[in-house]
Amino acid sequence: MNRKQKWAILLLPIFALSLCIGSMAVLCLSAYQEIAYEHISTFCEIIIEHNPEDEQQILQAVKKYHNLKEQNVNGNQYLSKFGYREAEFCKGLSWDIYIRFFLLFLIISGIFLTVIWRIQRRNKKRIGELTAYLEKVNIGTSGMMIQAEDDDFSHLQDEIYKTVTALHQMKETAVAGQKKFAENLANISHQLKTPITAAFLSLQLMKEAVPNDYIVQVEKQLKRLNRLEESLLLLSKVDAGVLPLTYASVDIYTALTLAAENLNDLLIKNHISVEIPEKGCVEFLGDLEWTLEALMNLMKNCMEHSQQGGCIHCDYTNNPIYAEILIWDEGTGFAPEDIPHLFERFYRGKRAATNGIGIGLSLARSIFELQNGTITARNLPNGGACFEIKIYSH
């Protein structure tokens, strides 16, 4: 917007208000003159009707009054000697005077309000355009540009474009870096797969030819290395955003039951039971298979921290905002200093199982976050560790 346009927008309301005040003043002066003329005319008419012979003298007096200067009239209180007061004259202004005042007020006020309304509408339109642009950027729509205009919002519009462009560049750089990291992680896991498989085959031949305790230890470490390789491959898919999720209604009771059944052999081996109450149909929108993977990791963690004969408890509820799942054990709970780091990759707390690699809880969190969920961990007042999952409605 150039300087002339800015001054025009600034002066329009002032001009409209000044026009309103000036017009009111002119109308007041015109009304005063009309009223004074009508009263003097009526006064002369009454005198001449009663004294026709004095008509010339009266007209000469009117002419003399007409030629008097303003300073000779101001302050004249001659009629007060006869008991007359100012309030007794000019009673009852005619309705047309009031109507004129009212109509003029409406016209000038309309002009003033129209100017203000047009300015506000223009500003609202520009704000709406910028807001719509930012909303489209937030949902991933690109390429939509607002027509550049020279007004008070021009600088703001330029800064928004610069910020959005910088954010797009930062996002592209971050996504490229994340994708490269995921590809490197996948390559490493694939490279590990071949020697691990070959080592397993050689180990099987050694077990058959020369069985001993060292082979058992090597086999245990190879199995652990194989789990690590599979976990790295899965994490690479999560980081790259290519984890295949099929969204459908997931019944929580069914998911918990299937997760416990998949761990049945381990649960029997460790003499651990799982308690899952049936509370009717409680569902959320997610992927059943990956939800099972996450729930199994949480149950496995609870199992590893439970005494033989212990029980893993489950509960679930829902409300209009989210579905909630609780899984807890009867063990010693988490070490307080471990709780802020439990879901970090490769983090192993003080009470972690000896054969763990520190990926299970991190993977569970990633799976639930991909399904618009959150997971937290805490210690229960009466002992035991508890996982709390909230999956929000889409």
Side-chain angles (χ1 to χ4, degrees):
M1 179 184 296
N2 56 39
R3 183 174 296 180
K4 290 183 178 179
Q5 290 174 325
K6 290 182 179 179
W7 277 107
I9 291 177
L10 180 64
L11 294 177
L12 273 175
I14 300 176
F15 173 75
L17 184 61
S18 302
L19 181 62
C20 179
I21 295 173
S23 300
M24 296 289 284
V26 171
L27 184 60
C28 289
L29 178 61
S30 175
Y32 166 76
Q33 290 175 338
E34 183 178 349
I35 293 170
Y37 175 80
E38 290 175 350
H39 278 263
I40 292 174
S41 178
T42 303
F43 179 72
C44 293
E45 182 182 8
I46 293 173
I47 294 177
I48 292 172
E49 285 181 355
H50 290 80
N51 303 280
E53 67 280 4
D54 298 329
E55 180 178 1
Q56 292 298 322
Q57 295 179 357
I58 293 171
L59 292 177
Q60 290 178 359
V62 171
K63 185 175 181 181
K64 182 179 180 182
Y65 169 78
H66 182 267
N67 293 328
L68 283 177
K69 294 184 178 180
E70 185 178 359
Q71 58 267 29
N72 294 330
V73 178
N74 289 342
N76 191 303
Q77 300 290 328
Y78 179 77
L79 293 179
S80 62
K81 294 191 301 181
F82 304 99
Y84 293 102
R85 298 291 179 266
E86 296 174 357
E88 299 179 23
F89 295 87
C90 295
K91 293 181 179 180
L93 294 177
S94 60
W95 278 104
D96 62 327
I97 299 297
Y98 291 109
I99 292 173
R100 290 181 197 176
F101 273 110
F102 181 70
L103 290 178
L104 182 61
F105 176 77
L106 287 182
I107 292 171
I108 303 301
S109 299
I111 295 173
F112 180 76
L113 293 176
T114 300
V115 171
I116 298 298
W117 174 75
R118 288 181 64 86
I119 295 174
Q120 289 181 342
R121 188 180 69 168
R122 179 181 176 82
N123 292 343
K124 185 177 180 181
K125 179 183 177 183
R126 293 286 284 133
I127 293 173
E129 290 176 348
L130 296 174
T131 303
Y133 171 72
L134 289 177
E135 289 175 349
K136 295 200 175 202
V137 169
N138 288 333
I139 63 176
T141 303
S142 59
M144 192 275 292
M145 298 290 291
I146 306 173
Q147 183 178 359
E149 296 186 30
D150 189 15
D151 58 13
D152 290 338
F153 293 91
S154 300
H155 182 67
L156 175 61
Q157 181 174 327
D158 291 340
E159 293 302 317
I160 289 176
Y161 284 153
K162 292 177 185 178
T163 303
V164 170
T165 302
L167 290 175
H168 271 302
Q169 292 174 348
M170 292 173 61
K171 179 181 178 182
E172 290 173 358
T173 303
V175 170
Q178 186 180 37
K179 186 177 180 181
K180 186 175 181 180
F181 172 77
E183 289 174 353
N184 291 336
L185 198 59
N187 290 334
I188 292 171
S189 63
H190 280 301
Q191 293 297 326
L192 288 172
K193 191 72 174 178
T194 300
I196 291 173
T197 303
F200 262 121
L201 292 174
S202 300
L203 192 64
Q204 292 298 322
L205 294 174
M206 291 175 62
K207 283 178 66 176
E208 295 174 1
V210 188
N212 58 65
D213 293 338
Y214 294 106
I215 294 176
V216 175
Q217 293 299 323
V218 173
E219 183 180 26
K220 184 184 295 184
Q221 294 304 317
L222 278 176
K223 288 181 179 179
R224 185 168 182 267
L225 188 58
N226 188 59
R227 290 198 304 272
L228 177 61
E229 182 273 330
E230 292 175 351
S231 298
L232 288 175
L233 184 59
L234 184 56
L235 288 174
S236 68
K237 293 181 180 179
V238 173
D239 289 338
V242 296
L243 193 67
L245 293 178
T246 304
Y247 287 94
S249 294
V250 177
D251 181 74
I252 296 179
Y253 175 79
T254 302
L256 290 170
T257 302
L258 292 175
E261 288 178 357
N262 289 336
L263 295 173
N264 191 52
D265 292 341
L266 287 174
L267 292 169
I268 293 174
K269 180 181 178 180
N270 292 278
H271 305 284
I272 305 294
S273 60
V274 179
E275 182 183 80
I276 305 172
E278 186 173 0
K279 303 177 72 173
C281 181
V282 177
E283 298 178 333
F284 67 89
L285 188 63
D287 185 287
L288 177 60
E289 294 301 323
W290 287 113
T291 300
L292 290 180
E293 179 74 22
L295 293 176
M296 287 168 58
N297 286 337
L298 299 179
M299 289 183 180
K300 193 183 298 182
N301 186 277
C302 290
M303 181 188 67
E304 291 170 351
H305 294 82
S306 298
Q307 301 289 334
Q308 285 196 358
C311 180
I312 299 172
H313 302 272
C314 303
D315 194 16
Y316 53 93
T317 56
N318 73 331
N319 57 53
I321 301 175
Y322 58 81
E324 184 180 55
I325 304 172
L326 298 177
I327 301 175
W328 70 95
D329 59 47
E330 300 173 344
T332 56
F334 304 112
E337 61 271 23
D338 289 339
I339 292 179
H341 309 287
L342 286 172
F343 298 100
E344 295 177 4
R345 291 182 183 179
F346 307 110
Y347 180 82
R348 301 183 73 251
K350 292 182 177 180
R351 301 171 186 173
T354 56
N355 61 343
I357 56 178
I359 291 181
L361 294 183
S362 174
L363 180 60
R365 182 183 66 175
S366 297
I367 290 173
F368 283 121
E369 286 179 349
L370 288 173
Q371 299 178 97
N372 198 33
T374 61
I375 179 171
T376 56
R378 68 176 188 272
N379 287 324
L380 297 175
N382 297 326
C386 178
F387 294 103
E388 181 179 3
I389 304 130
K390 292 180 180 178
I391 304 175
Y392 294 85
S393 302
H394 287 267

